[in-house]
Amino acid sequence: MFEYKAPMRDIKFVMQEFLACDGHYQALGYDEASSDMVDAILSEAAKFTEQVIAPINQIGDQQGCHWEKGSVSTPDGFKDAYKQYVDGGWPTLSQAEEFGGQGLPHSINMVVSEMLSAANHSFAMYPGLSHGCMSTLEFHGTKQQKTMFMPKLVEGSWTGTMCLTESHAGTDLGLLRTKAELNEDGSYKLNGSKIFISAGEHDLSDNIVHLVIARATDSPAGTKGISLFIVPKFNVNDDGTIADENGVSCGSIEHKMGINGNATCVINFDDAKGYLIGEKNKGLKCMFTFMNGARLGVANEGVAASEAAFQGSLAYAQDRLQMRSLTGVKNPKDYADPIIVHPDVRRMLLTQKSIAEGGRALVAQLAQLVDITHASNSDEDKLAANNRLALLTPIAKAFLTETAVDSTSYGIQVLGGHGFIKEWGMEQLLRDTKICCLYEGTTGIQALDLIGRKVLGNKGVLLNDFIKEIKGFCKLNENNSVSALAHTLVDYVELWAEVTHDIGVKASANPDELGAASVDYLMLSGYITLGYMWAKMAKTAQDAISQNSADKDFYLAKIQTAEFYFARVMPKAHGHLACLASGAKTMMSMDSGHFSF
Ligand SMILES: Cc1cc2nc3c(=O)[nH]c(=O)nc-3n(C[C@H](O)[C@H](O)[C@H](O)COP(=O)(O)OP(=O)(O)OC[C@H]3O[C@@H](n4cnc5c(N)ncnc54)[C@H](O)[C@@H]3O)c2cc1C
């Protein structure tokens, strides 16, 4: 099993140099978030994740969670680690001070979440879901609901979930059957069954606050009749103390491909007491607060997985001796050269590195936009941040998780046969990562959201704004040390604009063209978006070198990784372009009954 080390130098580069977080935090009034404070928090998070969370990753996979008579026990060490997580004040980091939080920016918490997830994906999901629950309550809850639920969630002694999926209602939530009947006191009585509920039942916290979508008895069918309810495992008194048991039970847990340390539960609601949150029949709108944050969180899980895969692969490639370099012996004191000398191994390592670091830059940039939506005094800035988040969230979610699966698969490949053996941890990484392409909306659904709602649905306005920004960057840098990257990037964004227009034209004649193009379009968008991150990071690194920075090797490696990305990763966009240009015909012409004879 490889040892996880938080990538502190790269995190510092992204936060302080690439995104100038000092100025960003000051402008938003986050006076506490000085660079010294941020450094101190992240160093502590690094220690905690390396020393407490990473060591229970493999045992979590081996033992999994256990269900007995409705109770779920987490693997050895999870309970103690969660206690340390709470005692260390980690759940409170970016939560509002009025509920006992530290009031720090969301973007700092995002970095901590990356470390947690890279160290142990399953463990990180328990607090991750609580964060989504808290932001939904904060945005849509009443004062009374916040008094009842927020302080304990912020403290971490209670955890949260999102309960959407039912056995017959996954992507299509309009089909849900869970019913909510109004009680005389204004609360609701919920009946129904949810499946696949992450962290739905466990032994880490004193109470579990479920956010449940259900249909009120007098609501219409379909998505227009969905409302959102707070349904605690134990009832809660008005002052926030625990009362009696609610009608919530865990019917079973799933036995699954990965994330075995996280309990995936069937949760039954039998006359369970719930409270409407937000407006009746507007539940999906409220739930989107949870889901948008969670989608960014899953993008971050993708970054974490690529980072972990890169670390494990790099350590192995520097150590493993096999064959000699094609250009002559590099390690004469030993019987063979380390495999890092071989071009193909370098191809895989640099792909992982460029996706992890490029993805980190993208997620950090999006997290800064979230800071703006929370704390800016300017409505114009908030609107611009929300628009950019709307466009880039599906790209980040789907592209960074699909490429994370590639990175973890390379993780196995770099280790050769040993990658297939459990003790090295690489096959666990691949198994744990695949879920990121499925939950919070599959890649296919993110792709439809991108092309259908965010791009064509907005008549291209959001995309054009982004393309304008990228072209502005390229223009500014057309004659300097990153000009080669800038020129290439301009060609890509022009293709992006053209292909968007073509899909729009084709789809207006045949809607299947939209679906047929969607995933290739999303991947193409992802490669270009990450290309923009890399071009900008190369510029930041080049500027640091020009100023005679003492850390020249780091910046040189940044520029070399950018060049690799442009030469060997971004061209994959052309493959997607060719595929989507071929249109829907070859997919749709075969009769459904003729797929197999
Ligand atoms: C480990 C795990 C944890 C989970 N955690 C949670 C949780 O905490 N809370 C929760 O509520 N849910 C959770 N889920 C459920 C998860 O979000 C769903 O599985 C997911 O949304 C997909 O739904 P489904 O499985 O029903 O697939 P389906 O909706 O049946 O989709 C099957 C396939 O069809 C495709 N498809 C469907 N409709 C379309 C369309 N219109 N166009 C193109 N393609 C389409 C999908 O992309 C997918 O490839 C979890 C699932 C797992 C496995």
Side-chain angles (χ1 to χ4, degrees), residues 230-534:
I230 310 168
V231 189
K233 172 179 164 184
F234 291 104
N235 282 310
V236 175
N237 298 312
D238 287 352
D239 62 356
T241 51
I242 287 187
D244 54 344
E245 247 178 71
N246 201 359
V248 181
S249 60
C250 175
S252 61
I253 58 173
E254 305 294 345
H255 301 282
K256 47 194 198 290
M257 172 180 178
I259 54 163
N260 292 333
N262 193 275
T264 305
C265 307
V266 171
I267 298 289
N268 298 320
F269 300 96
D270 298 298
D271 290 346
K273 186 171 185 175
Y275 308 89
L276 180 71
I277 173 166
E279 267 181 73
K280 189 171 153 188
N281 298 335
K282 294 275 177 353
L284 274 191
K285 190 171 157 236
C286 301
M287 207 62 216
F288 264 105
T289 305
F290 200 138
M291 277 146 73
N292 284 336
R295 284 173 179 178
L296 208 48
V298 178
N300 204 26
E301 289 175 357
V303 173
S306 288
E307 173 65 36
F310 171 59
Q311 288 192 15
S313 306
L314 179 62
Y316 192 84
Q318 284 168 330
D319 204 44
R320 174 73 172 166
L321 306 180
Q322 285 297 286
M323 307 279 289
R324 289 294 183 190
S325 159
L326 293 171
T327 51
V329 174
K330 298 289 182 295
N331 182 32
K333 68 180 188 328
D334 270 312
Y335 57 85
D337 287 336
I339 59 171
I340 196 167
V341 303
H342 304 309
D344 188 55
V345 172
R346 285 171 165 252
R347 172 185 66 83
M348 295 188 276
L349 291 171
L350 284 165
T351 302
Q352 294 168 322
K353 180 175 167 69
S354 65
I355 295 293
E357 294 178 9
R360 177 172 301 118
L362 176 59
V363 167
Q365 182 141 24
L366 298 184
Q368 281 204 344
L369 295 178
V370 175
D371 291 343
I372 293 172
T373 65
H374 284 182
S376 173
N377 292 324
S378 153
D379 288 343
E380 204 183 322
D381 289 355
K382 278 186 174 176
L383 180 67
N386 270 320
N387 282 341
R388 186 55 56 80
L389 278 168
L391 177 74
L392 295 185
T393 299
I395 297 177
K397 195 281 183 187
F399 178 76
L400 293 178
T401 59
E402 289 288 336
T403 50
V405 171
D406 295 343
S407 294
T408 55
S409 177
Y410 283 153
I412 294 177
Q413 200 71 19
V414 169
L415 270 70
H418 300 275
F420 204 68
I421 306 303
K422 280 185 183 279
E423 74 175 274
W424 290 94
M426 282 297 165
E427 59 81 47
Q428 182 192 341
L429 254 183
L430 175 61
R431 286 186 290 104
D432 283 355
T433 302
K434 181 60 196 171
I435 188 60
C436 300
C437 306
L438 301 168
Y439 59 19
E440 292 308 332
T442 58
T443 299
I445 294 309
Q446 302 301 325
L448 282 179
D449 180 45
L450 175 68
I451 184 72
R453 284 181 62 221
K454 306 297 174 51
V455 176
L456 299 179
N458 276 290
K459 298 195 172 10
V461 172
L462 303 188
L463 178 66
N464 290 342
D465 260 13
F466 187 44
I467 286 185
K468 199 167 146 201
E469 179 186 308
I470 300 177
K471 282 188 168 172
F473 168 85
C474 294
K475 179 93 195 122
L476 214 61
N477 293 287
E478 65 187 355
N479 290 317
N480 61 22
S481 51
V482 297
S483 62
L485 303 185
H487 287 298
T488 309
L489 190 56
V490 161
D491 292 344
Y492 274 95
V493 290
E494 274 167 7
L495 277 177
W496 197 7
E498 268 171 42
V499 76
T500 305
H501 174 262
D502 292 350
I503 296 170
V505 172
K506 279 190 190 168
S508 60
N510 174 10
D512 269 343
E513 291 289 351
L514 198 76
S518 60
V519 169
D520 284 306
Y521 181 80
L522 183 139
M523 293 305 286
L524 172 130
S525 307
Y527 283 116
I528 297 172
T529 303
L530 228 63
Y532 178 41
M533 294 300 122
W534 270 114

Side-chain angles (χ1 to χ4, degrees), residues 30 32 37 41 88-105 154:
Y30 286 117
E32 298 284 298
M37 171 66 111
I41 292 170
W90 295 109
T92 66
L93 209 60
S94 61
Q95 299 303 324
E97 284 164 291
E98 62 177 306
F99 304 117
Q102 298 181 50
L104 287 163
V154 169

Side-chain angles (χ1 to χ4, degrees), residues 125 129 161-173 194-200 254 256 258-259 262-264 435 437-445 448 515 518:
M125 285 174 68
L129 282 147
T161 74
M162 61 189 289
C163 296
L164 279 65
T165 308
E166 298 180 11
S167 57
H168 58 284
T171 299
D172 191 353
L173 294 171
K194 299 281 177 183
I195 65 162
F196 292 166
I197 305 308
S198 299
E254 305 294 345
K256 47 194 198 290
I259 54 163
N262 193 275
T264 305
I435 188 60
C437 306
L438 301 168
Y439 59 19
E440 292 308 332
T442 58
T443 299
I445 294 309
L448 282 179
S518 60

